[in-house]
Amino acid sequence: MEGTGSRSGVASSAVADGSLVVWTLCSVLLPVLLTLWCSLQRSRRQVLIRDIFRKSKHDWHYTDLFGQPSYCCVCAQHILRGAFCTCCGLRVSEGCLKRADQRFPCKEILLRSGGGTPGSMPHHWIRGNVPLCSCCVVCGQQCGTQPKLCDYRCVWCQYTVHDECMIDSLKTEECTFGEFRDLIIPPYYLSTINQMRKEKKTNYEKVVPYCRKHWMPVIILANTRSGNNMGETLLGEFKILLNPVQVFDLSKITPAKALQLCTLLPCNAVRVLVCGGDGTVGWVLDAIDEMKIKGQERFIPQVAILPLGTGNDLSNTLGWGAGYAGEVPVEQILQNVMEADGIKLDRWKVQVTNKGYYNLRKPKVFTMNNYFSIGPDALMALNFHAHREKTPSLFSSRIINKAVYFFYGTKDCLVQECKDLNKKVELELDGERIELPNLEGIIVLNIGYWGGGCRLWEGMGDEPYPLARHDDGLLEVVGVHGSFHCAQIQVKLANPVRLGQAHTVRLILKSSKMPMQVDGEPWAQGPCTITITHKTHALMLYHSGEQTDDEASSMSEQEHVREQTDEDV
C-alpha cells in the first residue's frame, strides 16, 4: 500500500510539473506570438500606406498625434493620429486613407483643360478641420466651434464658411486667392505658360494681366537641415497658403534647378524667401550668380531671409531677425516679404594662393557675403565643424550649437593657439601696408553683424568712426586680442582694434598653419596670400520692422556721430 501510494504521489507531482511547464511556456510564448503578429500586421499596413503615399497626387504625411482636434474627412470620426495632406489640409484616419485619396482631389498645380475661363477658377472647398479662430465670410461668426466635422475652407483663398451658410453661388464663385493673391502663382497662369512653350512663344509678360496688377510671385526655398529643424513644418505651412509648385525642399532639389521657375515668371518681379542659415543664403546667391552667367539677368529675383541657422548675421543685418523659432505666424512672414524694400548687398571674391615655387595648384576661390577671419573665431568654427561632421545628430538645436561654440571659445582662452598672429601675417589695405599691434585674430567685415548678433565695427559705440554699410563697396577690417576679447566685445565691454576700411584687402601668411573661415566655412591653411576684391552685387530685401534695443541704440549713436560731423564741418 505504501509503495502504491508513493508511486501515485510521484505520478501526480510529475503531472503537476508538466502542467506548470506547459503554462509557463504558454505565458511566455503567447505574448511573443501576439507581438510578432501585431508587428507583422503593422508592417503590412505601413507597406500599404507607403504605396498609397507614393501613387497619390496628395502630399500625404503620417502623424502619431495631431496638434489640434481633428476629424476624419471620410467617416467624420474624431481621430488622434492618421494622415494629413500638406498641400490641401485633408485629415484622415488610417482606415479611410484609400477612400479619401480616391474621393478628394488635391490642389491643382496646373488648371485642367476646360477648367473655366482663362484667368479665373472656382473655389476649391474642403470640409472640416478649419483653422482655429477663423470666421465665416458670409455671416462673420467664428467657424469650427462645434466638436464634429463641420464647415468649409477654400484651399486657395483660405476663406471659411459655415455649413448652413454654404450656398450654391459660393460653390461656383470665382476664387480671388485671398490675402496673398499677389504672391500666389495661379494654376491657370502655369497652364497658359505651358501652352505657350508648346507653341514656342516666350512673351510671358502678356499673361500677367490675367493674374494681378501688382503681382510679385514668391518662391520658397527651405533647408530642412538648418539649425532647429523647423524647415519641414514650414514647408507644409507654405504649401497650404501658396501653390505647392512655389515651395522647394533644398534637401531634395538644388537652388539652381528651383530658380529656373523664375524664367517662367515676369521679369524683375519675383521674390525668393530663403528659409535657412547664412550658409543656405550663400548657396542660393551662388545659384543666382549662375543665372547671370547663363544670360538670365532679367529674371534675377530679390531675396528675403527666414533665419533658421545658428548665427544668422546676414539675416540680422537685413532686418529679418537673429533667429526664427515659430513665434511669428507664416501669414505675417509672407506679409513682411510683400512689404520689404529692395536693397543691394556687396559680394566679394576671396582668392587664396598657396606659397611655393613649384605650386601648380589653382588658387582656391570663395565668395564672401558676411566676413572673412583668421584667428580664434575661425578656430572655434573649425572645431565646431569637425565635431558636427562626426556626430551630426547632436547638432539639431540652435542652443546646443551655441553651447558648443562657447565651450571651444573658453578652451581657446586658456590655450591661446593663435597668439603672435601679428608676427605671422602682413596686412595691406588698398595696397598700403598696415603695422599690426599684438593680435590673435583679424576679421574682415562686409555686414554690420558678426558672431551671432554683435555689431563688431561699432563696438561699445563710444568712438566716432565711419559707419559700416553692406552696399558701399568697402570692407571693415578689425583685430582682436583673443577669445576673451571677442567675448568682451559681444557684451559691449570692449572695442575691437579698428585697422581701417578698404576696397581691396590683402593678407600674407608668412609661416605656420592657421585656422581661417569664410562665412562660417572653416579650414586650416598653410603659408599663402589672401586677396579680397569686389565681385558683384546681390539684390536683397530689407525688412524695416520693429527694432531691437541694440539696433535702436546703434541708430541713435550713428545719428549722434553724423551731428558731430556736421558741426565740425
Side-chain angles (χ1 to χ4, degrees):
M1 293 291 290
E2 290 179 1
T4 305
S6 64
R7 283 195 299 272
S8 64
V10 171
S12 62
S13 66
V15 171
D17 290 343
S19 63
L20 181 62
V21 170
V22 171
W23 284 111
T24 303
L25 287 173
C26 288
S27 64
V28 172
L29 291 175
L30 189 60
V32 173
L33 292 173
L34 283 172
T35 303
L36 289 174
W37 183 81
C38 290
S39 63
L40 179 63
Q41 294 298 316
R42 189 184 301 113
S43 63
R44 287 179 63 186
R45 287 200 306 271
Q46 288 175 351
V47 169
L48 290 172
I49 289 172
R50 280 198 297 267
D51 188 55
I52 294 172
F53 284 9
R54 182 172 54 84
K55 296 178 180 177
S56 176
K57 292 184 178 180
H58 289 275
D59 188 18
W60 292 115
H61 290 261
Y62 190 83
T63 181
D64 288 322
L65 182 65
F66 286 108
Q68 65 182 68
S70 300
Y71 300 88
C72 176
C73 62
V74 176
C75 64
Q77 296 297 312
H78 180 261
I79 52 175
L80 294 176
R81 63 180 183 180
F84 65 96
C85 176
T86 58
C87 294
C88 64
L90 276 178
R91 300 186 183 191
V92 62
S93 64
E94 190 177 306
C96 299
L97 176 60
K98 189 173 183 179
R99 279 181 289 168
D101 190 64
Q102 295 172 346
R103 185 185 301 180
F104 301 106
C106 192
K107 270 186 173 180
E108 291 182 340
I109 294 174
L110 293 171
L111 197 65
R112 296 175 187 171
S113 58
T117 57
S120 66
M121 59 182 289
H123 290 288
H124 181 166
W125 297 106
I126 293 289
R127 188 160 185 257
N129 303 307
V130 299
L132 300 175
C133 302
S134 57
C135 295
C136 177
V137 294
V138 177
C139 67
Q141 298 298 313
Q142 187 173 344
C143 288
T145 54
Q146 301 180 53
K148 63 177 183 179
L149 188 76
C150 62
D151 304 337
Y152 290 87
R153 174 182 62 88
C154 175
V155 299
W156 287 108
C157 61
Q158 310 304 320
Y159 288 168
T160 54
V161 182
H162 289 123
D163 287 332
E164 55 272 20
C165 296
M166 176 61 75
I167 53 179
D168 291 338
S169 61
L170 276 175
K171 293 180 180 179
T172 58
E173 184 183 67
E174 179 184 342
C175 182
T176 63
F177 291 93
E179 181 183 3
F180 303 112
R181 62 179 66 89
D182 290 333
L183 299 180
I184 295 173
I185 302 176
Y188 55 74
Y189 174 85
L190 292 175
S191 300
T192 307
I193 295 299
N194 194 35
Q195 185 62 36
M196 291 177 68
R197 293 182 72 186
K198 289 179 181 178
E199 297 171 1
K200 296 184 179 180
K201 297 178 181 178
T202 57
N203 51 340
Y204 303 146
E205 288 81 1
K206 293 183 178 180
V207 189
V208 177
Y210 287 111
C211 299
R212 307 283 171 253
K213 194 176 282 186
H214 305 290
W215 194 38
M216 53 176 77
V218 66
I219 296 174
I220 309 294
L221 304 179
N223 188 350
T224 54
R225 297 172 183 171
S226 286
N228 53 3
N229 291 331
M230 286 200 64
E232 198 74 46
T233 304
L234 288 167
L235 280 172
E237 294 183 6
F238 282 122
K239 284 180 180 179
I240 288 284
L241 296 174
L242 305 171
N243 190 331
V245 78
Q246 300 172 243
V247 184
F248 296 93
D249 183 354
L250 293 182
S251 65
K252 298 178 181 178
I253 187 172
T254 62
K257 289 183 178 179
L259 289 171
Q260 287 306 300
L261 180 59
C262 297
T263 61
L264 305 179
L265 298 168
C267 303
N268 305 316
V270 182
R271 300 192 165 198
V272 169
L273 176 61
V274 180
C275 307
D278 288 345
T280 306
V281 177
W283 189 18
V284 173
L285 293 181
D286 288 341
I288 291 174
D289 285 346
E290 290 179 19
M291 292 178 67
K292 296 177 183 176
I293 295 171
K294 293 176 182 177
Q296 299 174 342
E297 285 127 354
R298 59 200 183 106
F299 301 111
I300 295 299
Q302 294 177 303
V303 180
I305 307 171
L306 184 61
L308 302 182
T310 302
N312 304 312
D313 291 306
L314 179 57
S315 169
N316 219 352
T317 300
L318 299 179
W320 297 101
Y324 178 75
E327 66 278 4
V328 180
V330 172
E331 293 84 356
Q332 184 59 52
I333 293 169
L334 291 176
Q335 192 66 41
N336 293 342
V337 173
M338 289 174 66
E339 297 171 355
D341 302 318
I343 60 167
K344 288 184 178 180
L345 172 73
D346 290 324
R347 303 192 78 211
W348 301 82
K349 176 184 175 183
V350 180
Q351 182 170 299
V352 182
T353 308
N354 292 321
K355 279 191 173 181
Y357 292 106
Y358 303 103
N359 181 28
L360 300 177
R361 293 182 183 176
K362 289 183 179 180
K364 287 189 270 187
V365 178
F366 304 89
T367 300
M368 183 184 84
N369 303 311
N370 299 1
Y371 37 73
F372 164 88
S373 70
I374 175 172
D377 68 321
L379 179 62
M380 284 187 278
L382 184 62
N383 289 329
F384 174 85
H385 185 75
H387 201 161
R388 185 170 60 179
E389 288 292 311
K390 291 179 183 177
T391 54
S393 59
L394 295 178
F395 296 84
S396 59
S397 167
R398 190 180 290 132
I399 295 175
I400 292 175
N401 294 352
K402 290 190 176 182
V404 174
Y405 265 106
F406 176 76
F407 167 76
Y408 284 120
T410 306
K411 177 185 173 184
D412 187 63
C413 288
L414 303 174
V415 179
Q416 293 183 322
E417 294 184 33
C418 303
K419 63 181 179 180
D420 298 327
L421 179 69
N422 52 298
K423 298 177 182 177
K424 304 171 186 176
V425 167
E426 291 180 4
L427 174 65
E428 294 179 6
L429 301 183
D430 289 337
E432 183 180 345
R433 174 89 176 268
I434 304 297
E435 289 297 326
L436 296 175
N438 186 24
L439 296 173
E440 285 191 28
I442 295 174
I443 304 165
V444 182
L445 297 160
N446 178 47
I447 60 176
Y449 284 92
W450 163 88
C454 168
R455 298 191 71 90
L456 183 60
W457 179 252
E458 284 85 354
M460 295 169 62
D462 58 345
E463 300 173 359
Y465 271 85
L467 301 178
R469 293 181 58 89
H470 49 264
D471 58 354
D472 58 355
L474 282 173
L475 294 166
E476 287 72 43
V477 185
V478 302
V480 293
H481 296 302
S483 295
F484 186 68
H485 185 208
C486 290
Q488 287 180 309
I489 296 170
Q490 287 188 319
V491 294
K492 294 194 173 183
L493 293 177
N495 283 318
V497 180
R498 298 181 182 88
L499 301 173
Q501 292 178 299
H503 298 89
T504 303
V505 175
R506 194 162 177 257
L507 277 161
I508 302 171
L509 180 59
K510 296 182 288 187
S511 61
S512 73
K513 184 176 280 191
M514 294 293 293
M516 298 181 182
Q517 69 155 335
V518 174
D519 292 352
E521 297 297 325
W523 76 97
Q525 177 66 46
C528 65
T529 300
I530 301 112
T531 307
I532 306 177
T533 54
H534 193 269
K535 180 182 178 182
T536 185
H537 284 105
L539 300 177
M540 308 298 291
L541 289 170
Y542 181 83
H543 172 52
S544 54
E546 295 182 3
Q547 293 181 337
T548 63
D549 293 339
D550 287 345
E551 289 172 334
S553 63
S554 176
M555 291 297 292
S556 64
E557 288 159 6
Q558 292 175 4
E559 289 173 3
H560 180 63
V561 170
R562 283 198 195 98
E563 290 173 1
Q564 284 186 335
T565 306
D566 292 341
E567 288 175 2
D568 293 340
V569 173

